[in-house]
Amino acid sequence: MPTLKIIVGTVYGGALDVAEQVKPLFEQAGYEVSILEQPTLADITDQAADLTLFCVSTTGSGDYPGGITPFARAINEQHPMLGELRYGLIALGDSSYGDTFCGGGRSLDALLEDHGAQRIGERLEVDAMETFMADDAAVPWVEAWIDENGLRSE
């Protein structure tokens, strides 16, 4: 059975809620799913999954949430080659913050790309100004992401 890791960076729990809401969709598509709230670099290198989904909110001035900051810092400092990493990314933000909207997710996406990771499809950016519950946008996006990219394994 293929594996999927959902790596979460959350401030108030919204990104974790998204992860918990989309987990059954991947299980139905044939994946063994784990959710990681305190990820380490080893989670995507030494113990890599077949597929990874990042659910990342933004804090401060477009910064990473605390739980994912050490993970991003490790990538920045250790410069791992991530050519085998296939991932999707859901970024949560609030467009009233202007230029820093979805900054955590956008920064992580750029960092992963700089290290050779392969994003599958487009990044989803969920705007709190438009979508009260982020999973209202994330669930249909994940359903389409699985189907459009041939990610079903059952």
Side-chain angles (χ1 to χ4, degrees):
M1 176 179 285
T3 57
L4 169 83
K5 289 184 180 177
I6 303 177
I7 294 181
V8 176
T10 194
V11 179
Y12 299 113
L16 178 59
D17 183 54
V18 167
E20 291 170 345
Q21 295 299 317
V22 302
K23 180 181 178 187
L25 301 174
F26 287 104
E27 290 170 338
Q28 291 165 11
Y31 289 85
E32 181 180 324
V33 183
S34 57
I35 297 175
L36 307 172
E37 294 180 67
Q38 300 288 325
T40 65
L41 183 55
D43 290 324
I44 62 167
T45 56
D46 303 347
Q47 301 129 14
D50 296 296
L51 189 61
T52 303
L53 178 66
F54 293 90
C55 295
V56 182
S57 61
T58 300
T59 189
S61 299
D63 302 318
Y64 298 116
I68 203 165
T69 299
F71 171 82
R73 187 178 303 123
I75 294 173
N76 234 353
E77 293 172 355
Q78 297 177 32
H79 304 290
M81 289 308 303
L82 300 175
E84 300 298 313
L85 179 67
R86 298 173 60 233
Y87 75 97
L89 196 139
I90 299 173
L92 284 67
D94 183 327
S95 62
S96 70
Y97 285 85
D99 291 345
T100 63
F101 171 63
C102 285
R106 290 176 179 179
S107 294
L108 183 61
D109 200 10
L111 182 64
L112 294 168
E113 183 180 75
D114 288 348
H115 288 83
Q118 307 163 44
R119 187 182 71 224
I120 299 170
E122 295 300 315
R123 171 180 67 230
L124 172 65
E125 294 185 350
V126 181
D127 184 356
M129 293 295 290
E130 296 177 4
T131 307
F132 179 68
M133 297 296 293
D135 54 308
D136 289 344
V139 167
W141 180 86
V142 166
E143 290 170 337
W145 189 67
I146 290 169
D147 290 337
E148 291 168 6
N149 295 291
L151 301 175
R152 291 194 182 280
S153 72
E154 78 279 87

